[in-house]
Amino acid sequence: MDAVSTSESKVVVAEQKNLSSSASAQDLRLFEMEHEKHDDSSPRGVIEACIKNQENVSSSLKAKPSGSQFCLSNPRMSSRWHKFFKMWKRNSIKRLPSFPPLAVPKISRRKSRSVRENVPAGFRDFKSSWKNFSLSDLKNATNNFSEENLIGKGGYAEVYKGCLPDGQLVAVKRLNKGTAGEQEQNFLCEIGIIAHVDHPNTARMVGYGVEGGTYLVLQLSSQGSLGSFLRGSRDKLDWATRYKIIFGISNGLLYLHENCQRRIIHRDIKADNILLTEDFVPQICDFGLAKWLPKEWTHHNVCKFEGTFGYFAPEYFMHGIVDEKTDVFSFGVLLLEIITGRQALDDSQQSLVLWAKPLLDKHDEKGLIDPVLGDKYNPKEMERVITTAGLCVEQNPLMRPRMNQAIVLLTTDDDSYNQKFLRRRTYSEELMDASEYNSTKCLNDLKLLKLRHSVSDDNIKTLAA
Ligand SMILES: Nc1ncnc2c1ncn2[C@@H]1O[C@H](COP(=O)(O)OP(=O)(O)OP(=O)(O)O)[C@@H](O)[C@H]1O
């Protein structure tokens, strides 16, 4: 049996909106939360937009639609995503061959063109190749969801290895944690993001199932997760493989942040969410927490504190701020794990960032590098990865590189670029002095966090890293 991967340090620490001590920041957060509810750019927003479109389509066949009739402020819209899910389930059981948004009513060619033009961009690209699996298809594939087929467990789901009748190996993700409503929501969020994602370094979906639960069917990554190599008894990875993995993850993350149709922030970059193909090509998976950010937004504020301890950027747990730099911080933690062979949080809940910071500051490469590697690594590559990791886990987001800069840092020996970046850091350091991310503020916020959520002193130390 394959080793079962678990993410026990996964947390959902509940409402965090009162953490910020400033009233105006809170007001802004509440205002943004209100906007989030009507945000066309979130997965749910797009799904609502789709229903809006579908209703427009059907009414356009019956009567002249009034544009405002379907605006998001219409009270009927509030429960639409739920209606959508119900409709989907109903259609699904009728075994529609493809994802519902493509199943628009039959209309004339001219109307069809105007309908297509009205379909939100994301929905035009929903994969018609996705298969809709019945519950019995999935049971047959996974040997009735047997223990032997269980290959992973996360905070939201259990993942089973499966084999389709044509011999294709798949991973069946059964979203079975939380209430039925939460399962639906997680399912729609994940599917809403993954529909837009198409890159060699992101997980590939084969289909879905909505009968007797909610299921995502993904291509099987036969080497399992990077997490399973970093802990446990599997053979340790050599440096060439580690470097290939680092390069692939950085490309995948750059794609999500900058090159995908929408700006996607993953929010849960960690070793367990990096799958490895037979040839150790890394694929970012688990888009359950991912967020879309409209181009014009600098960042997003979240009201629910979700993610994995050990990978949180300080601005995220202190203020709920989500943007590219929160992913960059988690990517930095991941780099440190790959360099050192240590975990983001060890068995005694000590933070890797806290442990590594003094060594990074002293440029103590020998102290950082995984002893398993001995001297079997490319020193230039190692130096570049260490420098990049150090920058990515900077406490102040301004000092962290964007992913396109991280890739240059990881791949170039051009000292002038590195120096330019490091000079910018000096300026940012000055900014940091004036910023709210000073240690007193940080400790105050952490004490509040402790009071509100019974976080242990050890975790406070960890979070302060
Ligand atoms: N396509 C796949 N191929 C092989 N293994 C997979 C695949 N998808 C998931 N897994 C395994 O299952 C584990 C859990 O999957 P995933 O992270 O998607 O679940 P989750 O409940 O959303 O987790 P999390 O708590 O991180 O949100 C992964 O760490 C990995 O070990």
PDB file of all heavy atoms in Angstrom, residues 5 7 10 151-157 159 171 173 190 218-221 224-225 268 270 272-273 275 285-286, ligand 1:
ATOM      1  N   SER A   5      -0.629  10.146   2.975  1.00  0.00           N
ATOM      2  CA  SER A   5      -0.122  11.446   3.366  1.00  0.00           C
ATOM      3  C   SER A   5      -1.190  12.201   4.145  1.00  0.00           C
ATOM      4  O   SER A   5      -2.345  12.193   3.781  1.00  0.00           O
ATOM      5  CB  SER A   5       0.264  12.202   2.100  1.00  0.00           C
ATOM      6  OG  SER A   5       0.006  13.550   2.224  1.00  0.00           O
ATOM      7  N   SER A   7      -2.175  15.923   6.372  1.00  0.00           N
ATOM      8  CA  SER A   7      -1.711  17.271   6.721  1.00  0.00           C
ATOM      9  C   SER A   7      -2.360  17.646   8.023  1.00  0.00           C
ATOM     10  O   SER A   7      -3.377  18.291   8.062  1.00  0.00           O
ATOM     11  CB  SER A   7      -2.044  18.284   5.637  1.00  0.00           C
ATOM     12  OG  SER A   7      -2.878  17.766   4.684  1.00  0.00           O
ATOM     13  N   LYS A  10      -2.842  21.291   9.419  1.00  0.00           N
ATOM     14  CA  LYS A  10      -3.814  22.141   8.727  1.00  0.00           C
ATOM     15  C   LYS A  10      -4.734  22.802   9.745  1.00  0.00           C
ATOM     16  O   LYS A  10      -5.209  22.178  10.663  1.00  0.00           O
ATOM     17  CB  LYS A  10      -4.630  21.230   7.819  1.00  0.00           C
ATOM     18  CG  LYS A  10      -5.713  21.875   7.073  1.00  0.00           C
ATOM     19  CD  LYS A  10      -5.244  22.121   5.708  1.00  0.00           C
ATOM     20  CE  LYS A  10      -6.085  23.233   5.118  1.00  0.00           C
ATOM     21  NZ  LYS A  10      -5.545  23.651   3.870  1.00  0.00           N
ATOM     22  N   ILE A 151      -4.434   6.922  -0.786  1.00  0.00           N
ATOM     23  CA  ILE A 151      -3.055   7.399  -0.952  1.00  0.00           C
ATOM     24  C   ILE A 151      -2.803   8.743  -0.289  1.00  0.00           C
ATOM     25  O   ILE A 151      -1.672   9.197  -0.203  1.00  0.00           O
ATOM     26  CB  ILE A 151      -2.646   7.493  -2.439  1.00  0.00           C
ATOM     27  CG1 ILE A 151      -3.680   8.295  -3.236  1.00  0.00           C
ATOM     28  CG2 ILE A 151      -2.424   6.114  -3.026  1.00  0.00           C
ATOM     29  CD1 ILE A 151      -3.250   8.571  -4.674  1.00  0.00           C
ATOM     30  N   GLY A 152      -3.841   9.412   0.147  1.00  0.00           N
ATOM     31  CA  GLY A 152      -3.611  10.705   0.787  1.00  0.00           C
ATOM     32  C   GLY A 152      -4.811  11.157   1.583  1.00  0.00           C
ATOM     33  O   GLY A 152      -5.949  10.810   1.263  1.00  0.00           O
ATOM     34  N   LYS A 153      -4.509  11.927   2.641  1.00  0.00           N
ATOM     35  CA  LYS A 153      -5.586  12.510   3.444  1.00  0.00           C
ATOM     36  C   LYS A 153      -5.231  13.958   3.658  1.00  0.00           C
ATOM     37  O   LYS A 153      -4.085  14.267   4.017  1.00  0.00           O
ATOM     38  CB  LYS A 153      -5.637  11.836   4.813  1.00  0.00           C
ATOM     39  CG  LYS A 153      -6.557  10.659   4.909  1.00  0.00           C
ATOM     40  CD  LYS A 153      -6.604  10.205   6.355  1.00  0.00           C
ATOM     41  CE  LYS A 153      -7.335   8.897   6.483  1.00  0.00           C
ATOM     42  NZ  LYS A 153      -7.263   8.361   7.846  1.00  0.00           N
ATOM     43  N   GLY A 154      -6.171  14.847   3.435  1.00  0.00           N
ATOM     44  CA  GLY A 154      -5.905  16.251   3.698  1.00  0.00           C
ATOM     45  C   GLY A 154      -6.926  16.771   4.675  1.00  0.00           C
ATOM     46  O   GLY A 154      -7.680  16.004   5.276  1.00  0.00           O
ATOM     47  N   GLY A 155      -6.954  18.099   4.836  1.00  0.00           N
ATOM     48  CA  GLY A 155      -7.897  18.703   5.755  1.00  0.00           C
ATOM     49  C   GLY A 155      -9.329  18.598   5.249  1.00  0.00           C
ATOM     50  O   GLY A 155     -10.273  18.699   6.018  1.00  0.00           O
ATOM     51  N   TYR A 156      -9.497  18.437   3.932  1.00  0.00           N
ATOM     52  CA  TYR A 156     -10.838  18.463   3.365  1.00  0.00           C
ATOM     53  C   TYR A 156     -11.244  17.164   2.690  1.00  0.00           C
ATOM     54  O   TYR A 156     -12.400  16.986   2.358  1.00  0.00           O
ATOM     55  CB  TYR A 156     -10.947  19.583   2.315  1.00  0.00           C
ATOM     56  CG  TYR A 156     -10.715  20.945   2.897  1.00  0.00           C
ATOM     57  CD1 TYR A 156      -9.517  21.614   2.664  1.00  0.00           C
ATOM     58  CD2 TYR A 156     -11.673  21.542   3.688  1.00  0.00           C
ATOM     59  CE1 TYR A 156      -9.294  22.861   3.219  1.00  0.00           C
ATOM     60  CE2 TYR A 156     -11.464  22.794   4.239  1.00  0.00           C
ATOM     61  CZ  TYR A 156     -10.267  23.448   4.002  1.00  0.00           C
ATOM     62  OH  TYR A 156     -10.054  24.674   4.550  1.00  0.00           O
ATOM     63  N   ALA A 157     -10.261  16.320   2.443  1.00  0.00           N
ATOM     64  CA  ALA A 157     -10.571  15.205   1.550  1.00  0.00           C
ATOM     65  C   ALA A 157      -9.726  13.977   1.831  1.00  0.00           C
ATOM     66  O   ALA A 157      -8.697  14.046   2.487  1.00  0.00           O
ATOM     67  CB  ALA A 157     -10.311  15.662   0.109  1.00  0.00           C
ATOM     68  N   VAL A 159      -7.984  10.877  -0.545  1.00  0.00           N
ATOM     69  CA  VAL A 159      -7.634  10.667  -1.951  1.00  0.00           C
ATOM     70  C   VAL A 159      -7.321   9.185  -2.173  1.00  0.00           C
ATOM     71  O   VAL A 159      -6.538   8.585  -1.429  1.00  0.00           O
ATOM     72  CB  VAL A 159      -6.432  11.552  -2.357  1.00  0.00           C
ATOM     73  CG1 VAL A 159      -6.080  11.349  -3.824  1.00  0.00           C
ATOM     74  CG2 VAL A 159      -6.742  13.027  -2.093  1.00  0.00           C
ATOM     75  N   ALA A 171      -6.376   9.680  -9.518  1.00  0.00           N
ATOM     76  CA  ALA A 171      -6.513   9.913  -8.079  1.00  0.00           C
ATOM     77  C   ALA A 171      -7.920  10.457  -7.874  1.00  0.00           C
ATOM     78  O   ALA A 171      -8.286  11.473  -8.473  1.00  0.00           O
ATOM     79  CB  ALA A 171      -5.484  10.927  -7.609  1.00  0.00           C
ATOM     80  N   LYS A 173     -10.400  12.228  -5.529  1.00  0.00           N
ATOM     81  CA  LYS A 173     -10.415  13.043  -4.308  1.00  0.00           C
ATOM     82  C   LYS A 173     -11.847  13.146  -3.819  1.00  0.00           C
ATOM     83  O   LYS A 173     -12.694  13.760  -4.474  1.00  0.00           O
ATOM     84  CB  LYS A 173      -9.819  14.424  -4.638  1.00  0.00           C
ATOM     85  CG  LYS A 173      -9.733  15.363  -3.482  1.00  0.00           C
ATOM     86  CD  LYS A 173      -8.863  16.568  -3.812  1.00  0.00           C
ATOM     87  CE  LYS A 173      -8.949  17.614  -2.721  1.00  0.00           C
ATOM     88  NZ  LYS A 173      -8.064  18.750  -2.942  1.00  0.00           N
ATOM     89  N   GLU A 190     -12.723  24.695  -5.801  1.00  0.00           N
ATOM     90  CA  GLU A 190     -11.577  24.012  -6.407  1.00  0.00           C
ATOM     91  C   GLU A 190     -11.793  23.839  -7.907  1.00  0.00           C
ATOM     92  O   GLU A 190     -10.901  24.104  -8.714  1.00  0.00           O
ATOM     93  CB  GLU A 190     -11.343  22.659  -5.716  1.00  0.00           C
ATOM     94  CG  GLU A 190     -10.074  22.004  -6.204  1.00  0.00           C
ATOM     95  CD  GLU A 190      -9.378  21.123  -5.176  1.00  0.00           C
ATOM     96  OE1 GLU A 190      -9.883  20.957  -4.059  1.00  0.00           O
ATOM     97  OE2 GLU A 190      -8.299  20.604  -5.526  1.00  0.00           O
ATOM     98  N   LEU A 218      -8.479  13.220 -10.714  1.00  0.00           N
ATOM     99  CA  LEU A 218      -7.263  13.830 -11.265  1.00  0.00           C
ATOM    100  C   LEU A 218      -6.348  12.768 -11.853  1.00  0.00           C
ATOM    101  O   LEU A 218      -6.438  11.589 -11.461  1.00  0.00           O
ATOM    102  CB  LEU A 218      -6.501  14.556 -10.138  1.00  0.00           C
ATOM    103  CG  LEU A 218      -7.292  15.647  -9.440  1.00  0.00           C
ATOM    104  CD1 LEU A 218      -7.013  15.633  -7.956  1.00  0.00           C
ATOM    105  CD2 LEU A 218      -6.974  16.993 -10.028  1.00  0.00           C
ATOM    106  N   GLN A 219      -5.474  13.209 -12.762  1.00  0.00           N
ATOM    107  CA  GLN A 219      -4.439  12.279 -13.213  1.00  0.00           C
ATOM    108  C   GLN A 219      -3.610  11.864 -12.007  1.00  0.00           C
ATOM    109  O   GLN A 219      -3.302  12.703 -11.156  1.00  0.00           O
ATOM    110  CB  GLN A 219      -3.507  12.977 -14.201  1.00  0.00           C
ATOM    111  CG  GLN A 219      -3.981  12.907 -15.624  1.00  0.00           C
ATOM    112  CD  GLN A 219      -3.047  13.628 -16.579  1.00  0.00           C
ATOM    113  OE1 GLN A 219      -1.925  13.995 -16.224  1.00  0.00           O
ATOM    114  NE2 GLN A 219      -3.517  13.842 -17.781  1.00  0.00           N
ATOM    115  N   LEU A 220      -3.243  10.597 -11.953  1.00  0.00           N
ATOM    116  CA  LEU A 220      -2.446  10.140 -10.812  1.00  0.00           C
ATOM    117  C   LEU A 220      -1.000  10.609 -10.976  1.00  0.00           C
ATOM    118  O   LEU A 220      -0.411  10.470 -12.053  1.00  0.00           O
ATOM    119  CB  LEU A 220      -2.471   8.615 -10.728  1.00  0.00           C
ATOM    120  CG  LEU A 220      -1.739   8.064  -9.498  1.00  0.00           C
ATOM    121  CD1 LEU A 220      -2.634   8.120  -8.269  1.00  0.00           C
ATOM    122  CD2 LEU A 220      -1.269   6.635  -9.725  1.00  0.00           C
ATOM    123  N   SER A 221      -0.457  11.191  -9.939  1.00  0.00           N
ATOM    124  CA  SER A 221       0.975  11.515  -9.941  1.00  0.00           C
ATOM    125  C   SER A 221       1.647  10.369  -9.200  1.00  0.00           C
ATOM    126  O   SER A 221       1.562  10.267  -7.974  1.00  0.00           O
ATOM    127  CB  SER A 221       1.226  12.837  -9.224  1.00  0.00           C
ATOM    128  OG  SER A 221       0.600  13.870  -9.923  1.00  0.00           O
ATOM    129  N   GLY A 224       3.613  10.407  -5.886  1.00  0.00           N
ATOM    130  CA  GLY A 224       2.989  10.961  -4.667  1.00  0.00           C
ATOM    131  C   GLY A 224       3.403  12.406  -4.452  1.00  0.00           C
ATOM    132  O   GLY A 224       3.765  13.112  -5.401  1.00  0.00           O
ATOM    133  N   SER A 225       3.384  12.832  -3.201  1.00  0.00           N
ATOM    134  CA  SER A 225       3.662  14.256  -2.939  1.00  0.00           C
ATOM    135  C   SER A 225       5.114  14.463  -2.529  1.00  0.00           C
ATOM    136  O   SER A 225       5.779  13.547  -2.025  1.00  0.00           O
ATOM    137  CB  SER A 225       2.741  14.770  -1.831  1.00  0.00           C
ATOM    138  OG  SER A 225       3.177  14.273  -0.594  1.00  0.00           O
ATOM    139  N   ASP A 268      -2.024  27.926  -0.328  1.00  0.00           N
ATOM    140  CA  ASP A 268      -1.662  26.764   0.493  1.00  0.00           C
ATOM    141  C   ASP A 268      -0.495  26.010  -0.160  1.00  0.00           C
ATOM    142  O   ASP A 268      -0.514  24.794  -0.283  1.00  0.00           O
ATOM    143  CB  ASP A 268      -2.883  25.847   0.670  1.00  0.00           C
ATOM    144  CG  ASP A 268      -2.776  24.975   1.920  1.00  0.00           C
ATOM    145  OD1 ASP A 268      -1.874  25.228   2.746  1.00  0.00           O
ATOM    146  OD2 ASP A 268      -3.585  24.041   2.076  1.00  0.00           O
ATOM    147  N   LYS A 270       2.656  24.195  -0.162  1.00  0.00           N
ATOM    148  CA  LYS A 270       3.377  23.401   0.842  1.00  0.00           C
ATOM    149  C   LYS A 270       3.777  22.077   0.198  1.00  0.00           C
ATOM    150  O   LYS A 270       3.265  21.717  -0.878  1.00  0.00           O
ATOM    151  CB  LYS A 270       2.501  23.167   2.073  1.00  0.00           C
ATOM    152  CG  LYS A 270       1.225  22.409   1.772  1.00  0.00           C
ATOM    153  CD  LYS A 270       0.475  22.118   3.059  1.00  0.00           C
ATOM    154  CE  LYS A 270      -0.831  21.398   2.772  1.00  0.00           C
ATOM    155  NZ  LYS A 270      -1.588  21.084   3.966  1.00  0.00           N
ATOM    156  N   ASP A 272       3.101  19.042   0.790  1.00  0.00           N
ATOM    157  CA  ASP A 272       2.045  18.053   0.528  1.00  0.00           C
ATOM    158  C   ASP A 272       1.201  18.421  -0.686  1.00  0.00           C
ATOM    159  O   ASP A 272       0.474  17.585  -1.203  1.00  0.00           O
ATOM    160  CB  ASP A 272       1.113  17.921   1.752  1.00  0.00           C
ATOM    161  CG  ASP A 272       1.757  17.070   2.829  1.00  0.00           C
ATOM    162  OD1 ASP A 272       2.572  16.198   2.482  1.00  0.00           O
ATOM    163  OD2 ASP A 272       1.453  17.296   4.011  1.00  0.00           O
ATOM    164  N   ASN A 273       1.265  19.666  -1.091  1.00  0.00           N
ATOM    165  CA  ASN A 273       0.475  20.095  -2.252  1.00  0.00           C
ATOM    166  C   ASN A 273       1.320  20.179  -3.524  1.00  0.00           C
ATOM    167  O   ASN A 273       0.921  20.811  -4.500  1.00  0.00           O
ATOM    168  CB  ASN A 273      -0.218  21.430  -1.971  1.00  0.00           C
ATOM    169  CG  ASN A 273      -1.398  21.251  -1.029  1.00  0.00           C
ATOM    170  OD1 ASN A 273      -1.888  20.127  -0.865  1.00  0.00           O
ATOM    171  ND2 ASN A 273      -1.853  22.320  -0.403  1.00  0.00           N
ATOM    172  N   LEU A 275       2.668  17.607  -6.156  1.00  0.00           N
ATOM    173  CA  LEU A 275       2.654  16.202  -6.595  1.00  0.00           C
ATOM    174  C   LEU A 275       3.817  15.977  -7.548  1.00  0.00           C
ATOM    175  O   LEU A 275       4.270  16.906  -8.219  1.00  0.00           O
ATOM    176  CB  LEU A 275       1.337  15.892  -7.300  1.00  0.00           C
ATOM    177  CG  LEU A 275       0.073  16.087  -6.460  1.00  0.00           C
ATOM    178  CD1 LEU A 275      -1.174  15.920  -7.323  1.00  0.00           C
ATOM    179  CD2 LEU A 275       0.057  15.103  -5.292  1.00  0.00           C
ATOM    180  N   CYS A 285      -0.967  21.202  -6.689  1.00  0.00           N
ATOM    181  CA  CYS A 285      -2.348  20.715  -6.615  1.00  0.00           C
ATOM    182  C   CYS A 285      -3.083  21.404  -5.470  1.00  0.00           C
ATOM    183  O   CYS A 285      -2.512  22.261  -4.795  1.00  0.00           O
ATOM    184  CB  CYS A 285      -2.363  19.187  -6.432  1.00  0.00           C
ATOM    185  SG  CYS A 285      -1.934  18.629  -4.779  1.00  0.00           S
ATOM    186  N   ASP A 286      -4.318  21.005  -5.270  1.00  0.00           N
ATOM    187  CA  ASP A 286      -5.160  21.469  -4.178  1.00  0.00           C
ATOM    188  C   ASP A 286      -5.451  22.967  -4.259  1.00  0.00           C
ATOM    189  O   ASP A 286      -4.821  23.784  -3.586  1.00  0.00           O
ATOM    190  CB  ASP A 286      -4.520  21.119  -2.819  1.00  0.00           C
ATOM    191  CG  ASP A 286      -5.485  21.365  -1.677  1.00  0.00           C
ATOM    192  OD1 ASP A 286      -6.619  21.793  -1.944  1.00  0.00           O
ATOM    193  OD2 ASP A 286      -5.101  21.144  -0.521  1.00  0.00           O
TER     194      ASP A 286
HETATM  195  N1  LIG B   1      -3.342  13.467  -8.341  1.00  0.00           N
HETATM  196  C1  LIG B   1      -2.784  12.889  -7.281  1.00  0.00           C
HETATM  197  N2  LIG B   1      -1.890  11.885  -7.446  1.00  0.00           N
HETATM  198  C2  LIG B   1      -1.303  11.303  -6.355  1.00  0.00           C
HETATM  199  N3  LIG B   1      -1.531  11.661  -5.086  1.00  0.00           N
HETATM  200  C3  LIG B   1      -2.413  12.651  -4.856  1.00  0.00           C
HETATM  201  C4  LIG B   1      -3.085  13.326  -5.931  1.00  0.00           C
HETATM  202  N4  LIG B   1      -3.892  14.275  -5.409  1.00  0.00           N
HETATM  203  C5  LIG B   1      -3.726  14.211  -4.084  1.00  0.00           C
HETATM  204  N5  LIG B   1      -2.842  13.247  -3.726  1.00  0.00           N
HETATM  205  C6  LIG B   1      -2.399  12.896  -2.361  1.00  0.00           C
HETATM  206  O1  LIG B   1      -3.422  13.227  -1.433  1.00  0.00           O
HETATM  207  C7  LIG B   1      -2.954  14.218  -0.506  1.00  0.00           C
HETATM  208  C8  LIG B   1      -4.111  15.145  -0.115  1.00  0.00           C
HETATM  209  O2  LIG B   1      -4.604  15.779  -1.289  1.00  0.00           O
HETATM  210  P1  LIG B   1      -5.091  17.280  -1.280  1.00  0.00           P
HETATM  211  O3  LIG B   1      -3.989  18.151  -0.765  1.00  0.00           O
HETATM  212  O4  LIG B   1      -5.615  17.632  -2.626  1.00  0.00           O
HETATM  213  O5  LIG B   1      -6.280  17.188  -0.204  1.00  0.00           O
HETATM  214  P2  LIG B   1      -6.903  18.328   0.708  1.00  0.00           P
HETATM  215  O6  LIG B   1      -7.878  17.733   1.662  1.00  0.00           O
HETATM  216  O7  LIG B   1      -7.429  19.419  -0.170  1.00  0.00           O
HETATM  217  O8  LIG B   1      -5.615  18.774   1.496  1.00  0.00           O
HETATM  218  P3  LIG B   1      -5.288  20.076   2.317  1.00  0.00           P
HETATM  219  O9  LIG B   1      -5.455  19.735   3.744  1.00  0.00           O
HETATM  220  O10 LIG B   1      -3.863  20.389   1.954  1.00  0.00           O
HETATM  221  O11 LIG B   1      -6.229  21.166   1.835  1.00  0.00           O
HETATM  222  C9  LIG B   1      -1.775  14.907  -1.218  1.00  0.00           C
HETATM  223  O12 LIG B   1      -0.858  15.436  -0.296  1.00  0.00           O
HETATM  224  C10 LIG B   1      -1.178  13.734  -1.986  1.00  0.00           C
HETATM  225  O13 LIG B   1      -0.358  12.956  -1.142  1.00  0.00           O
END
